[in-house]
Amino acid sequence: MRFYALSVATVLALALVVPAPAVAAGPPAGPAFSVSAPAAPQPAAAQTLPRHRYEAIRKTTLRSSPGKGTVVAAVARGKELTSTGRTSGKYVQLSRAGKTGWAASADIRRAIMAKYQTSSATPLYASAGSTRQLAKIPADYTLGTRTNARSNGRVKVEYAGKSGWVRSSRVAKVALGVPLGKLGWKASAAKNIAKWCKGVPLSVGANKPNMAEASGWVGHMNEKITLDTTGFGGKKIDPNHPMAVAVQYHECAHIMQYRVYKYDFAKLDRRMDAVYGKPRVADGAEHMADCMAVAMGAKLSGSEYDRGSGNTITWFAGYGGKCNSQHMSAARKVIAGKQV
């Protein structure tokens, strides 16, 4: 489904930002010299280890020396610290907000150093080579790793309080700022269409109309996609269910149609009607959006067993038309940014 409004204008804007040249600066060169002096006393049995980021697992006190000395800083639970690389017995030297001190190793743990997001439901394995599954992680779930250990095509992560391994092919690395846990419906849908409609605002909710909108004027068009989160029996449908994905792709296809035809909606309708031809139960742009969705990887129908009712449910998405070779060729051209 689509909706559009257009105010005719030809306003084009081009912003060019030219970065200033980088200039390296430093202290003036001077004579080199060295002074010998007695080494300062160090904590007993101090060792030098690789530097790592840590987090406090409880309220932690940094002290001037291992296990004693004056309090340098108090660190709240969950706050991050950076090791200096030195340890002494059960104590680690850490820095936080410009202050350095010693804390008990029992009060800290390695911080999450990378995050991965599942592309589909994936098992959490007990080890890098094991077939024993500790849990089943849903799609679009962001996981953290404290070691980033890799082996046998798997990476070590944490999920629901368990430490285990997932297949590297089932996850993608994401920014550290991405929150841990399952993406919401809207975020999952945005991820599904990001390849073609990245950045297009989404509005989602129960019983909302599935539609794509474009309004404004040339050079200043506002685009929007609205999606219904309701599926079988009025229940919320998973955003990665094939039927939901087909609808997401269909509405994204309309946005691509608008862009390719430069928001000339009359021309778009004429060309889509001509290419799709007849018979049809809706206008050509709707049927071509279905064919574009198929070209993008969607399925327009399917069957599945419903545990609640004990019945097999057959579902359909789209307007029910066929996508022949001519339609698919045109669909792929529009996806590639070409008019037909």
Side-chain angles (χ1 to χ4, degrees), residues 19 118 120-121 199 278 292:
T118 56
S120 58
K278 293 182 179 180
M292 289 171 67

Side-chain angles (χ1 to χ4, degrees), residues 149-179:
R150 292 174 175 273
S151 179
N152 198 32
R154 299 179 183 181
V155 59
K156 191 173 185 180
V157 297
E158 292 182 358
Y159 171 70
K162 299 182 178 70
S163 180
W165 299 73
V166 294
R167 292 191 183 100
S168 299
S169 60
R170 294 285 190 93
V171 296
K173 194 172 184 179
V174 294
L176 279 172
V178 176

Side-chain angles (χ1 to χ4, degrees), residues 4 6 38 44 54 83 85 97 100 106 164 179 226 284 312 335:
Y4 49 77
L6 177 66
Y54 289 86
S83 72
T100 300
T226 302
T312 297
I335 293 171

Side-chain angles (χ1 to χ4, degrees), residues 57-171:
I57 59 177
R58 59 181 64 87
K59 186 176 180 180
T60 302
T61 300
L62 295 184
R63 294 184 177 274
S64 59
S65 59
K68 54 186 178 180
T70 58
V71 175
V72 175
V75 182
R77 178 178 178 274
K79 295 297 183 181
E80 287 196 3
L81 308 99
T82 304
S83 72
T84 65
R86 298 179 63 213
T87 67
S88 179
K90 298 180 180 180
Y91 296 89
V92 181
Q93 192 178 52
L94 304 156
S95 294
R96 165 79 183 171
K99 297 180 179 180
T100 300
W102 295 82
S105 58
D107 292 341
I108 60 173
R109 66 178 174 179
R110 288 278 294 276
I112 290 173
M113 62 184 303
K115 290 182 178 179
Y116 294 90
Q117 196 172 84
T118 56
S119 56
S120 58
T122 186
L124 180 72
Y125 294 102
S127 69
S130 174
T131 58
R132 185 168 69 91
Q133 298 183 17
L134 302 177
K136 193 67 172 284
I137 307 171
D140 296 342
Y141 197 100
T142 301
L143 306 153
T145 174
R146 300 183 190 278
T147 63
N148 212 21
R150 292 174 175 273
S151 179
N152 198 32
R154 299 179 183 181
V155 59
K156 191 173 185 180
V157 297
E158 292 182 358
Y159 171 70
K162 299 182 178 70
S163 180
W165 299 73
V166 294
R167 292 191 183 100
S168 299
S169 60
R170 294 285 190 93
V171 296

Side-chain angles (χ1 to χ4, degrees), residues 1-4 197 210-214 223-225 247-261 263 265 268-269 272 283-290 292-293 296 319 334:
M1 185 180 293
R2 59 201 175 117
F3 172 83
Y4 49 77
C197 293
N210 290 306
M211 61 190 299
E213 305 173 60
E223 300 168 337
K224 180 182 177 181
I225 292 174
V247 174
Q248 294 162 21
Y249 284 7
H250 176 103
E251 301 307 338
C252 174
H254 280 316
I255 297 295
M256 286 189 279
Q257 290 175 344
Y258 300 159
R259 292 174 177 176
V260 169
Y261 284 87
Y263 306 98
F265 304 109
L268 166 64
D269 285 339
M272 295 298 98
D283 61 55
E286 294 294 354
H287 284 301
M288 285 304 299
D290 278 347
M292 289 171 67
M296 293 155 70
Y319 285 79
V334 177

